[in-house]
């Protein structure tokens, strides 16, 4: 038989074994990260997003600024999804929750700075004719 088994499979990596394989940080970038490097990148970007969110002021560009922050959160989620297969399940759960929390914080800040106009019925004036 040609193409037989290449040998016995090695032991499966577990959390203590740290059997890491690099994962691409950003799709198509060619940059690969280990899980420790990813954790550092995630925390740094998370701090940057939260700092920028605190600095957002009301005004004409408030929605644009908040949309940019939401785009950063989504990009962080995409990079997280790409590396999630090498992370422990607990870390996957924690980082997903943190990503959702950041998106929720942006939504709360949007409501504070640029609340939606509430719908109300207006009394029509009768047309005299």
């Amino acid at each position: 038989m040609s193409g037989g088994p290449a040998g016995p499979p090695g032991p499966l990596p577990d959390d203590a074994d740290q059997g890491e394989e690099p994962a691409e940080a950003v799709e198509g970038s060619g940059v690969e990260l280990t899980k420790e490097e990813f954790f550092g990148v995630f925390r740094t970007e998370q701090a940057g997003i939260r700092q920028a969110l605190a600095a957002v002021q009301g005004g004409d560009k408030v929605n644009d600024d908040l949309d940019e922050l939401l785009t950063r959160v989504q990009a962080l989620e995409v990079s997280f999804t790409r590396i999630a297969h090498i992370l422990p399940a607990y870390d996957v759960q924690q980082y997903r929750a943190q990503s959702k929390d950041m998106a929720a914080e942006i939504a709360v800040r949007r409501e504070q700075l640029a609340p939606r106009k509430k719908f109300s019925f207006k009394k029509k004036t009768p047309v005299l004719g």
Side-chain angles (χ1 to χ4, degrees), residues 57-112:
Q57 299 295 319
D60 296 340
K61 293 182 59 180
V62 68
N63 283 320
D64 292 338
D65 293 343
L66 293 172
D67 287 342
E68 179 206 337
L69 291 176
L70 196 54
T71 301
R72 286 174 63 184
V73 170
Q74 290 168 346
L76 194 59
E77 288 173 347
V78 167
S79 66
F80 169 74
T81 300
R82 294 187 60 78
I83 197 170
H85 68 281
I86 68 168
L87 301 176
Y90 178 79
D91 290 338
V92 170
Q93 182 181 10
Q94 293 300 309
Y95 283 89
R96 279 210 176 110
Q98 290 177 21
S99 293
K100 287 181 182 182
D101 288 347
M102 283 188 292
E105 289 172 22
I106 291 170
V108 166
R109 187 78 170 151
R110 187 181 304 270
E111 285 297 318
Q112 290 173 345

Side-chain angles (χ1 to χ4, degrees), residues 9-67:
L12 294 175
D14 62 3
D15 293 344
D17 203 4
Q18 300 300 321
E20 298 179 8
E21 59 183 78
E24 276 191 50
V26 179
E27 186 174 340
S29 70
V31 176
E32 296 187 359
L33 295 175
T34 63
K35 69 181 184 180
E36 285 80 16
E37 291 170 334
F38 174 76
F39 290 154
V41 168
F42 186 94
R43 289 181 186 120
T44 301
E45 182 64 10
Q46 180 183 31
I49 290 169
R50 287 207 164 113
Q51 186 177 22
L53 181 60
V56 171
Q57 299 295 319
D60 296 340
K61 293 182 59 180
V62 68
N63 283 320
D64 292 338
D65 293 343
L66 293 172
D67 287 342

Side-chain angles (χ1 to χ4, degrees), residues 105-123:
E105 289 172 22
I106 291 170
V108 166
R109 187 78 170 151
R110 187 181 304 270
E111 285 297 318
Q112 290 173 345
L113 297 175
R116 296 181 198 168
K117 293 181 180 177
K118 293 184 179 180
F119 177 80
S120 64
F121 290 102
K122 294 183 180 178
K123 193 172 190 175

